[in-house]
């Protein structure tokens, strides 16, 4: 009998493994294991499984202050977070997107609001709405600035590519394909009519993000469809 496709072989190939890597582990490239002993913030709806004594709660309306509440009202459900509290193993995923784990060491990074999967509560975070692009793209664009020391997990459609930004050599990206960038960079939004039929799609097809200075920007080989666009 051919054992290659047996249930036992399937279990052997796909079963969970303890890798001893700490709080965040990549169980597979598209599944995050959180070895929870305390709290973690995660994207609303990202839990796929857990074991142990873990409770989940949606973030409180005033938990982060009126400033963030006001910005959440502007940016919509894409920023919704849940808090997992307890002890056990928690498994998170987001539409099969590839997961990257980052350990910030007193550093800051901006992450597209749709691409933030989970982070430790000790990290400071704030929602940044890109008002200058709101009129150019359906639904606008928002991101989350994370700063401090701790773990964060971000997602991308397929493999991410990191481009280094150097003085005198700006990097231009499609906003819908931009995942994250270093905390010291402040992108500008520019339009180029000559690229209108080649760059991006929809009402924002000629809009580009321009990164100048010194840092990095992460892009994905995919144009994200944002929550507010899906609802329109």
């Amino acid at each position: 009998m051919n054992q290659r496709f047996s249930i036992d072989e399937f279990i052997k190939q796909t079963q969970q493994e303890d890798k001893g890597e700490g709080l965040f582990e990549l169980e597979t490239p598209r599944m995050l294991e959180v070895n929870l002993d305390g709290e973690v913030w995660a994207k609303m709806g990202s839990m796929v499984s857990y074991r142990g004594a873990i409770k989940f709660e949606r973030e409180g309306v005033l938990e982060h202050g009126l400033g963030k509440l006001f910005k959440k009202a502007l940016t919509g459900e894409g920023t919704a977070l849940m808090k997992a509290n307890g002890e056990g193993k928690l498994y998170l995923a987001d539409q099969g997107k590839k997961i990257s784990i980052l350990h910030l060491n007193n550093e800051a990074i901006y992450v597209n609001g749709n691409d933030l999967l989970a982070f430790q509560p000790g990290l400071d975070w704030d929602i940044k709405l890109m008002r200058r692009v709101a009129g150019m793209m359906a639904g606008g664009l928002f991101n989350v600035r994370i700063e401090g020391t701790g773990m964060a997990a971000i997602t991308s459609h397929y493999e991410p590519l990191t481009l280094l930004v150097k003085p005198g050599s700006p990097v231009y990206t499609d906003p819908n394909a931009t995942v994250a960038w270093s905390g010291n960079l402040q992108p500008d939004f520019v339009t180029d009519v000559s690229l209108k039929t080649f760059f991006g799609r929809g009402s924002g097809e000629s809009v580009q993000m321009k990164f100048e200075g010194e840092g990095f920007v992460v892009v994905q080989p995919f144009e994200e469809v944002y929550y507010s666009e899906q609802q329109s």
Side-chain angles (χ1 to χ4, degrees):
M1 181 179 176
N2 188 346
Q3 294 297 311
R4 181 182 175 192
F5 299 115
S6 69
I7 289 178
D8 286 345
E9 182 62 22
F10 174 79
I11 293 173
K12 179 181 176 182
Q13 294 294 326
T14 61
Q15 69 179 338
Q16 178 264 335
E17 297 179 20
D18 285 323
K19 301 178 182 178
E21 295 175 354
L23 175 66
F24 286 177
E25 295 183 11
L26 284 181
E27 195 58 40
T28 74
R30 304 173 191 280
M31 185 83 71
L32 179 71
E33 178 184 275
V34 182
N35 294 299
L36 191 61
D37 184 10
E39 292 182 351
V40 70
W41 285 106
K43 186 174 184 177
M44 195 75 183
S46 63
M47 186 276 287
V48 295
S49 181
Y50 72 92
R51 68 168 73 205
I54 301 176
K55 292 184 178 181
F56 300 90
E57 57 182 291
R58 192 185 181 104
E59 59 179 318
V61 172
L62 295 178
E63 188 158 357
H64 307 292
L66 287 171
K68 287 182 182 177
L69 174 66
F70 177 68
K71 283 180 280 191
K72 281 177 63 65
L74 292 174
T75 56
E77 285 296 303
T79 57
L81 297 172
M82 64 179 181
K83 183 191 295 181
N85 192 314
E87 185 175 349
K89 290 186 179 294
L90 171 63
Y91 297 93
L92 304 174
D94 186 14
Q95 301 180 19
K97 293 161 71 175
K98 187 176 177 67
I99 300 168
S100 299
I101 298 174
L102 303 173
H103 186 278
L104 302 185
N105 184 16
N106 197 26
E107 297 166 297
I109 188 171
Y110 287 94
V111 183
N112 183 298
N114 286 328
D115 298 323
L116 181 60
L117 180 63
F119 60 94
Q120 285 185 267
L123 291 168
D124 292 327
W125 65 278
D126 196 13
I127 298 168
K128 304 288 185 180
L129 179 63
M130 299 181 182
R131 289 183 177 83
R132 289 182 57 189
V133 78
M136 305 177 195
M137 297 176 61
L141 198 65
F142 68 93
N143 57 75
V144 182
R145 178 184 169 91
I146 302 177
E147 187 171 12
T149 298
M151 305 283 282
I154 65 175
T155 60
S156 61
H157 285 279
Y158 311 104
E159 287 70 28
L161 174 67
T162 299
L163 303 169
L164 296 182
V165 181
K166 298 181 179 179
S169 182
V171 173
Y172 298 85
T173 66
D174 180 340
N176 296 83
T178 306
V179 174
W181 58 94
S182 49
N184 61 308
L185 295 181
Q186 296 289 336
D188 285 325
F189 290 89
V190 296
T191 56
D192 189 334
V193 176
S194 67
L195 288 176
K196 192 176 179 70
T197 57
F198 303 106
F199 199 83
R201 71 188 192 312
S203 62
E205 58 195 358
S206 62
V207 179
Q208 304 155 47
M209 295 178 77
K210 179 183 179 181
F211 294 89
E212 287 188 289
E214 189 161 5
F216 64 87
V217 57
V218 182
V219 294
Q220 62 185 3
F222 186 93
E223 290 186 0
E224 189 90 40
V225 177
Y226 297 110
Y227 180 90
S228 50
E229 289 178 302
Q230 291 173 321
Q231 301 301 305
S232 59

